[in-house]
């Protein structure tokens, strides 16, 4: 490019201005660009690089006040604030078809998380448009698992229909396991007047070595580690070109191995398999959004011996409506249900066999929420949940102070949650 | 102002005529506001010269189609979500609602699978950036069109 220094400066200032929404403080933005992309800039051609660099971020804080059961941390009678999300991401297009992007996330969701930053995604994406109608591409690195309507952006409160995603499908206890994984993702897209057809196929390793995943699958604290075997996740989605109708079919085949601690363990080597199928549908009008997802999953433990060895099929679904009744305002309502064992939806058999309460074997939740977008970059949300059952209570919400383990005897069947969330983004 | 003018009505015929003209002007300017037309505009000399289908434009403004047929990068410029012209463009040209476009961009930006378009403050700024950026595409209302940009015909 034979640009004069002056026009390069223009380009720079223009690109600095570009993604600022309204009264976003310019100085902060410029500082972030400067800090994050100084290394690129020093390799020469600095100003041309700036044009294809974008930086975005978000911050959310939730408050929960509950009756009966805690939410993430202590929240009964007195409000709990143990839920914070902070994220910053950058993407850069060194070539029109090649993109590098990365997101760092800091998250607090109860006793097991201290908010230390983790790599949420970090990937290289190459795609090729054969004509304007066909595209093929590949992503390598830590990528988002293609799963359902909301998994792609589940940490960004602005993109969620409620304070948390519907737990029946996007359970917080298995969040790390579901959100992003290390491997390769191939995708293809067909765009036609009748709509867009998208196929994404991922192969690689899920993020299993964390407490939540261990507790969610083997229900206790052990000294060993959970390692992921190669797994596959795929999504076939259809969308009318105007985005009014969205349909998707997702599925995953995952397998994990428990590796006992060599210096002594009370649990032998064992295998865990979890294979969900998810059907998703959404319909959008100017004022309304209707969404529903249904999941059926196959779960099995083997090698541990009784009582941990068992296999069950689970089922979950939700129906949700959002109504934008005035500019900046949105009202939402949802009913959802989850049954970890379709052969024992009442939990009676489970109670007889293990003595634990029957209501740990289901969750039925009714949610009512109100969202107000104060500005395009600041949003508040208030929400009320009425819950029957504890099957979707995260393990870290039921910790017994003495044992440090989840304690389902100390829970109640019917409980209320009042939530409030404030979120920013740029 | 109106009150002053109507106060002067009985005593001054000239002012009455002036008021009538004002009313007519107001009436027609209102009329043109209702019939406001938005045009998809590109930088002059952009490799897209044939009429473009609505679904292809949806892919471009949805940031999923990122290259022109010759392989060069498409640079998308838009106005803020709550801007009147942006809203007209979404409804008239893409036939979608601004909130759907925002949802689509958020999905790309926060999952590492794409970028958002550049949001500019005014149509004047939009025109300047389209005219001076290689591969640029955006939109302008009729009164803001000039020689510096080219109209992309929509099928």
């Amino acid at each position: 490019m034979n640009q004069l220094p002056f026009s390069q400066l223009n380009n720079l200032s223009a690109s600095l201005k570009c993604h600022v929404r309204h009264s976003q403080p310019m100085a902060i933005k410029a500082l972030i660009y400067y800090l994050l992309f100084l290394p690129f800039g020093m390799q020469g051609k600095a100003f041309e690089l700036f044009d294809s660099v974008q930086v975005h971020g978000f911050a959310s804080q939730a408050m929960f006040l509950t009756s009966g059961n805690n939410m993430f941390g202590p929240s009964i009678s007195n409000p709990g604030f143990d839920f914070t999300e902070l994220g910053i991401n950058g993407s850069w297009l060194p070539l029109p078809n090649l993109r590098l992007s990365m997101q760092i996330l800091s998250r607090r969701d109860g006793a097991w998380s201290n908010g230390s930053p983790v790599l949420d995604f970090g990937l290289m994406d190459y795609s090729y448009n054969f004509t304007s109608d066909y595209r093929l591409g590949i992503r390598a690195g830590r990528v988002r698992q293609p799963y359902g309507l909301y998994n792609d952006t589940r940490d960004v409160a602005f993109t969620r229909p409620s304070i948390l995603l519907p737990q029946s499908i996007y359970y917080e206890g298995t969040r790390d396991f579901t959100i992003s994984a290390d491997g390769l993702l191939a995708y293809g897209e067909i765009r036609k007047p009748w709509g867009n057809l998208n196929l994404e196929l991922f192969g690689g390793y899920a993020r299993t070595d964390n407490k939540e995943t261990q507790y969610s699958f083997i229900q206790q604290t052990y000294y060993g580690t959970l390692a992921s075997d190669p797994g596959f996740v795929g999504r076939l989605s259809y969308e009318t070109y105007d985005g009014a109708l969205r349909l998707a079919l997702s599925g995953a085949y995952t397998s994990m191995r428990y590796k006992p601690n060599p210096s002594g363990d009370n649990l032998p080597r064992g295998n865990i398999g979890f294979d969900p199928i998810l059907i998703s549908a959404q319909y959008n009008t100017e004022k309304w959004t209707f969404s529903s997802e249904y999941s059926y999953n196959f779960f099995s433990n083997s090698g541990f011996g009784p009582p941990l060895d068992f296999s069950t099929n689970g089922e979950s679904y939700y129906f949700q409506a959002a109504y934008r009744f005035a500019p900046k305002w949105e009202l939402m309502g949802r009913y959802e249900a989850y049954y970890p064992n379709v052969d024992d939806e009442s939990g009676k058999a489970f109670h007889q066999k293990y003595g634990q309460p029957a209501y740990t074997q289901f969750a039925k939740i009714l949610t009512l929420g109100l969202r107000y977008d104060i500005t395009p970059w600041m949003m508040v949300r208030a929400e009320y949940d009425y819950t029957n059952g504890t099957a979707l209570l995260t393990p870290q919400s039921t910790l017994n102070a003495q044992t440090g383990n989840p304690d389902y005897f100390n829970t109640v069947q019917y409980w209320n949650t009042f939530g409030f969330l404030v979120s920013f983004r740029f | 102002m109106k009150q002053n003018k109507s106060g002067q009505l009985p005593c001054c015929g000239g002012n009455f005529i002036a008021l009538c003209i004002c009313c007519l002007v107001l009436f027609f300017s209102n009329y043109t506001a209702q019939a406001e037309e938005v045009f998809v505009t590109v930088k002059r000399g952009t490799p897209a010269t044939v009429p473009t289908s609505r679904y292809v434009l949806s892919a471009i403004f949805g940031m999923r189609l990122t290259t022109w047929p010759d392989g060069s990068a498409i640079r998308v410029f838009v106005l803020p979500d709550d801007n009147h012209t942006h809203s007209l463009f979404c409804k008239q040209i893409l036939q979608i609602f601004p909130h759907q476009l925002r949802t689509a961009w958020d999905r790309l930006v926060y999952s590492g699978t794409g970028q958002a378009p550049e949001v500019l403050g005014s149509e004047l700024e939009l025109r300047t950036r389209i005219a001076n950026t290689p591969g640029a595409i955006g939109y302008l209302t009729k009164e803001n069109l000039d020689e510096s940009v080219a109209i992309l015909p929509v099928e």
Side-chain angles (χ1 to χ4, degrees):
Chain A
M1 297 229 192
N2 304 320
Q3 285 173 320
L4 296 168
F6 180 68
S7 63
Q8 286 184 334
L9 277 175
N10 267 346
N11 271 354
L12 171 63
S13 66
S15 69
L16 281 174
K17 261 184 244 165
C18 56
H19 311 292
V20 182
R21 291 209 178 89
H22 301 275
S23 42
Q24 181 72 42
M26 277 292 294
I28 296 175
K29 189 92 176 180
L31 183 70
I32 291 167
Y33 270 96
Y34 179 77
L35 290 176
L36 275 177
F37 297 100
L38 186 63
F40 298 120
M42 290 170 90
Q43 292 162 11
K45 280 198 170 185
F47 296 151
E48 280 153 43
L49 293 181
F50 266 102
D51 256 359
S52 62
V53 167
Q54 285 193 359
V55 176
H56 294 272
F58 55 90
S60 308
Q61 174 65 51
M63 182 224 67
F64 293 105
L65 180 63
T66 58
S67 72
N69 300 318
N70 286 317
M71 190 77 174
F72 299 113
S75 64
I76 301 172
S77 307
N78 289 309
F81 294 89
D82 290 345
F83 188 86
T84 313
E85 297 163 311
L86 298 168
I88 185 160
N89 72 54
S91 73
W92 173 43
L93 277 163
L95 298 168
N97 282 322
L98 182 69
R99 203 187 52 259
L100 303 173
S101 41
M102 184 167 106
Q103 179 159 291
I104 304 292
L105 185 75
S106 156
R107 196 165 186 276
R108 279 174 60 246
D109 61 349
W112 295 338
S113 54
N114 55 11
S116 49
V118 295
L119 178 68
D120 191 33
F121 59 74
L123 60 99
M124 194 175 80
D125 185 345
Y126 178 79
S127 67
Y128 185 76
N129 288 298
F130 290 92
T131 66
S132 55
D133 289 5
Y134 300 97
R135 175 164 79 144
L136 275 181
I138 190 152
R139 292 181 197 124
R142 176 163 289 182
V143 301
R144 276 292 151 79
Q145 304 212 47
Y147 192 71
L149 295 174
Y150 293 110
N151 192 53
D152 305 56
T153 58
R154 73 181 279 166
D155 291 312
V156 189
F158 276 86
T159 70
R160 296 196 289 252
S162 40
I163 291 181
L164 300 173
L165 283 179
Q167 293 295 290
S168 51
I169 304 290
Y170 305 93
Y171 176 50
E172 289 301 313
T174 51
R175 176 199 167 276
D176 289 355
F177 171 71
T178 322
I179 187 157
S180 57
D182 303 329
L184 278 179
L185 186 145
Y187 61 96
E189 190 180 351
I190 301 172
R191 309 180 192 105
K192 291 286 177 188
W194 45 261
N196 304 327
L197 204 56
N198 231 305
L199 179 67
E200 294 146 281
L201 291 172
F202 168 83
Y205 297 87
R207 292 158 61 190
T208 53
D209 194 19
N210 53 75
K211 270 189 169 175
E212 284 93 336
T213 307
Q214 198 174 115
Y215 277 73
S216 294
F217 288 114
I218 46 182
Q219 281 112 37
Q220 255 228 44
T221 180
Y222 296 104
Y223 303 106
T225 52
L226 208 53
S228 169
D229 287 330
F232 302 93
V233 185
R235 177 172 61 191
L236 177 67
S237 52
Y238 166 79
E239 204 173 309
T240 50
Y241 76 79
D242 57 3
L245 179 67
R246 297 171 63 202
L247 301 171
L249 177 68
S250 321
Y253 169 81
T254 62
S255 145
M256 291 154 267
R257 265 169 301 126
Y258 177 76
K259 293 199 280 194
N261 192 319
S263 54
D265 204 328
N266 50 355
L267 189 70
R269 183 178 293 272
N271 292 302
I272 302 163
F274 182 67
D275 311 319
I277 292 171
L278 177 64
I279 300 166
S280 318
Q282 186 175 74
Y283 186 70
N284 286 291
T285 70
E286 182 167 18
K287 302 232 157 139
W288 289 90
T289 299
F290 300 98
S291 315
S292 182
E293 297 192 278
Y294 172 86
S295 165
Y296 194 88
N297 66 66
F298 307 89
F299 172 76
S300 74
N301 276 348
S302 62
F304 299 112
L308 268 182
D309 275 3
F310 64 93
S311 59
T312 55
N313 296 345
E315 181 182 52
S316 59
Y317 53 85
Y318 71 85
F319 304 97
Q320 176 181 284
Y323 177 44
R324 289 168 286 278
F325 60 91
K328 301 180 172 192
W329 289 90
E330 186 182 280
L331 190 67
M332 71 78 69
R334 178 173 64 218
Y335 175 75
E336 60 186 316
Y338 167 61
Y339 305 97
N341 184 355
V342 290
D343 297 324
D344 183 25
E345 292 197 350
S346 68
K348 279 180 188 155
F350 181 84
H351 175 65
Q352 275 163 13
K353 199 170 174 187
Y354 301 107
Q356 283 202 24
Y359 61 75
T360 58
Q361 295 305 294
F362 56 83
K364 301 168 209 178
I365 312 174
L366 200 60
T367 304
L368 203 61
L370 185 65
R371 166 178 173 161
Y372 176 53
D373 287 83
I374 299 169
T375 70
W377 51 268
M378 182 184 182
M379 179 266 281
V380 288
R381 192 187 266 290
E383 204 171 287
Y384 170 75
D385 289 348
Y386 175 73
T387 308
N388 173 8
T390 59
L392 289 172
L393 203 56
T394 55
Q396 65 266 49
S397 299
T398 61
L399 292 184
N400 180 305
Q402 265 100 53
T403 64
N405 272 322
D407 179 0
Y408 288 96
F409 289 100
N410 266 328
T411 54
V412 302
Q413 178 173 357
Y414 300 96
W415 50 296
N416 301 286
T417 308
F418 176 73
F420 185 79
L421 175 119
V422 56
S423 184
F424 303 85
R425 72 164 171 192
F426 67 85
Chain B
M1 236 173 88
K2 259 187 182 171
Q3 273 179 347
N4 284 345
K5 276 195 172 163
S6 58
Q8 287 166 7
L9 268 180
C11 57
C12 184
N15 274 0
F16 179 67
I17 291 165
L19 181 66
C20 284
I21 292 169
C22 276
C23 284
L24 276 175
V25 167
L26 271 176
F27 174 77
F28 280 107
S29 64
N30 260 346
Y31 177 75
T32 40
Q34 274 161 14
E36 240 176 332
E37 222 180 322
V38 184
F39 293 88
V40 179
T41 48
V42 291
K43 180 178 163 63
R44 287 202 165 274
T46 297
T49 44
V50 288
T52 306
S53 306
R54 216 175 284 283
Y55 77 93
V56 175
L57 283 175
S58 277
I60 291 175
F61 282 92
M63 304 298 284
R64 296 189 314 278
L65 175 57
T66 51
T67 52
W68 293 113
D70 69 351
S72 63
I74 300 179
R75 294 285 305 277
V76 181
F77 296 98
V78 295
L79 294 167
D81 290 11
D82 52 1
N83 178 283
H84 177 65
T85 304
H86 178 71
S87 180
L88 278 179
F89 163 75
C90 287
K91 289 176 189 174
Q92 278 180 15
I93 308 284
L94 301 183
Q95 293 179 347
I96 70 170
F97 304 107
H99 74 89
Q100 287 168 273
L101 214 45
R102 172 59 58 193
T103 303
W105 298 334
D106 283 348
R107 270 210 302 275
L108 299 175
V109 164
Y110 297 108
S111 68
T113 57
Q115 293 194 328
E118 296 191 17
V119 180
L120 304 175
S122 69
E123 283 196 55
L124 281 180
E125 213 181 329
L126 202 55
R127 190 175 65 204
T128 314
R129 290 301 298 280
I130 295 168
N132 296 314
T133 311
I137 187 168
Y139 48 80
L140 290 169
T141 46
K142 202 170 187 175
E143 69 251 31
N144 285 300
L145 283 171
D146 71 8
E147 305 281 289
S148 68
V149 295
I151 294 176
L152 184 67
V154 180
E155 253 174 22

